[in-house]
Structure formats: structure tokens, C-alpha cells
């Protein structure tokens, strides 16, 4: 049986999550690729990893649903029998709206998926990795956003606020488990060219915003994945509670 480390990536089927899954597999991780709805996209990431000699599985589960989260981690236990890394990547935006136009349903969905889901997934990961629970240690990377700094006015202030919660959660959890072999860090991507902008009704957002970015271009999912893999690796063994901007200077 392989003793290669195991990584779970929420929202690993597309965009930044898929890039993390591919890069992790190329660096020797076995990968659990979580997705919400797009099974074909998740299976395509799994097939690509396997075609290059890696090991991966796709696991359906909505991180906005506590029962799905529990089942997803149980699937990792059954298939791999260990967990060494977890990336809280699944996240949503919504249609551009002012705060005074937002419904309670929109705000609650945003917070349930982006905040509650990430906290519950981190809790499951800590139960498996922390030496306090008999684990061998590990690393958690939370995907935040530069929206924390910018606030995303007239687009999605609720989203920006949900990512601010992720930053504070990262600092607190990192300190809580610092003596238990678990490092917890966050990445704040800037404008990255993925499908998320179309899902918020602004398919050209990444290209349209290029001139507002000091480096004059959107980033790629692969560029974010490089930073995530650094924080998962032993190269960052003294880094915890850190929040790294990957934003082209924005
Ligand atoms: P994306 O292209 O829209 O991909 C989203 C991924 O998350 C997909 O794999 C999707 O699965 C999955 N997902 C969505 N809702 C989910 C749920 N409830 N449960 C489980 N999985 C779910 O997004 P992205 O641009 O790669 O963004 C990834 C992360 O980076 C998010 O947290 C986002 O907020 C953050 N971020 C992105 C940018 C950017 O400019 N792209 C900037 C800053 C931060 P399906 O394939 O099944 O739909």
C-alpha cells in the first residue's frame, strides 16, 4: 500500500481547486477531489491525475451541508485511511448587488458555504491530523480573497465579509493547534481567470479588471496553486497563521 500523503481539496473540480489537485498530484500527493454538482469536471481531474500515474478519487458533497461534509471525510477515511492536508477552496460569489438589495436567503447561503462550510471542514481535518487526537500532523490552507481588503462595493460585500471571517478563522485556528502538528494558513487570490466570475454574472470580469491590477493582468489558477502547495509542504514548516496575497500587487 502507498504511504504517499493524502490531500483533500474542496471544490477541486474546477478553477483554483482543480489546479491545486493537479499540482499536488505531480508533487506526490494522493488527492481527494471534492465537487458540488459538476461530476464530469471532477472525473476529468481524476482521470488526468491517474493518466500520469497518480492516485485520486472524486467525492461529491456540498460544503454548505454538514451531513455532506461528514460523509466526505468518511469517504476519505475509507478510501485512503489517512489525511495529511486539506484545502478549504470551495466558495461562491453571487450576482452583483448593493447590500440594501440583498435578500436574507442570499446572505445566509453565502455565509453557510463560505464560512460555516470552511470551519466544519477544518474541524474534521483537525480531528484526523492533530496529535491531540492521535494524528500525525498536517497542514490546512484556507482560500480567502483580496476582497477582504477591497470590500467589493456594489458587487458582493457579503462575499468580502465572508472571506474576512476566513482570515480571522485562519489566525485563531493556527494558534489553537500550533502545538499539535497542524499548520493553518490562508491565501488571498486577487483577480484570477476562472469560471467564478461567470457564476456571478460577470464572465469578462477578470479581463475587464486587468488595467486596475499593478501587474496589468489577471492571475492564473496555476499561480495560486503554486502558493498553496508551498504552504502544504515542509518548505513552510515554520509558517502558520500567515495570510499570503497572490494578487499581482493589487
Ligand atoms: P470556480 O471556478 O467557480 O470553482 C468553484 C469550485 O468550487 C468548483 O469545483 C465547484 O464545484 C466548487 N463548489 C462550489 N460550491 C460548492 C459547494 N457548496 N460545495 C462543494 N464545492 C463547491 O471558483 P474559483 O475561482 O476557482 O474559486 C475558488 C476559491 O478561490 C473560492 O473560495 C473563491 O472565493 C476564491 N477566490 C477566487 C478568486 C478568483 O478571482 N477566481 C479570487 C479570490 C478568491 P462544481 O464543479 O461541482 O460546481
Amino acid at each position: 500500500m502507498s504511504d504517499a500523503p493524502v490531500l483533500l481539496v474542496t471544490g477541486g473540480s474546477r478553477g483554483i481547486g482543480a489546479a491545486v489537485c493537479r499540482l499536488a498530484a505531480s508533487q506526490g500527493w494522493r488527492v481527494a477531489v471534492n465537487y458540488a454538482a459538476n461530476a464530469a469536471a471532477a472525473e476529468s481531474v481524476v482521470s488526468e491525475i491517474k493518466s500520469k500515474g497518480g492516485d485520486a478519487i472524486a467525492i461529491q458533497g456540498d460544503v454548505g451541508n454538514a451531513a455532506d461534509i461528514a460523509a466526505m471525510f468518511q469517504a476519505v477515511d475509507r478510501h485512503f485511511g489517512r489525511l495529511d492536508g486539506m484545502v478549504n477552496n470551495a466558495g461562491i460569489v453571487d450576482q452583483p448587488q448593493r447590500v440594501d438589495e440583498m435578500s436574507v436567503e442570499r446572505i445566509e447561503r453565502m455565509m453557510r458555504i463560505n464560512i460555516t462550510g470552511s470551519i466544519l471542514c477544518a474541524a474534521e481535518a483537525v480531528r484526523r491530523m492533530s496529535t491531540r487526537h492521535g494524528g500525525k500532523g498536517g497542514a490546512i490552507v484556507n482560500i480567502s480573497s483580496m476582497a477582504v481588503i477591497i470590500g467589493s462595493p456594489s458587487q458582493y460585500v457579503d462575499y468580502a465579509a465572508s472571506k474576512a471571517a476566513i482570515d480571522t478563522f485562519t489566525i485563531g485556528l493556527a494558534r489553537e493547534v500550533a502545538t499539535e502538528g497542524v499548520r493553518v494558513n490562508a491565501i488571498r487570490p486577487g483577480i484570477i481567470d476562472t469560471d467564478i466570475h461567470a457564476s456571478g454574472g460577470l464572465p469578462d470580469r477578470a479581463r475587464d479588471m486587468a488595467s486596475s491590477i499593478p501587474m496589468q493582468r489577471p492571475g492564473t489558477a496555476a499561480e495560486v496553486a503554486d502558493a498553496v502547495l508551498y504552504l502544504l509542504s515542509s518548505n513552510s514548516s515554520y509558517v502558520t497563521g500567515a495570510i499570503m496575497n497572490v494578487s499581482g500587487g493589487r
Side-chain angles (χ1 to χ4, degrees), residues 82-101:
R82 64 184 281 177
L83 185 68
D84 304 275
M86 201 273 296
V87 182
N88 260 324
N89 166 77
I92 56 160
V93 295
D94 208 321
Q95 302 299 307
Q97 279 184 332
R98 287 171 49 96
V99 170
D100 53 14
E101 297 166 346

Side-chain angles (χ1 to χ4, degrees), residues 170-214:
T170 299
I171 294 164
L173 182 63
R175 292 177 179 183
E176 191 165 291
V177 299
T179 60
E180 300 171 20
V182 182
R183 294 182 302 103
V184 185
N185 294 289
I187 302 274
R188 287 192 195 125
I191 305 290
I192 310 300
D193 196 2
T194 71
D195 296 343
I196 201 169
H197 309 292
S199 76
L202 300 170
D204 298 323
R205 181 166 181 264
R207 283 168 295 280
D208 289 349
M209 293 194 68
S211 63
S212 72
I213 301 166

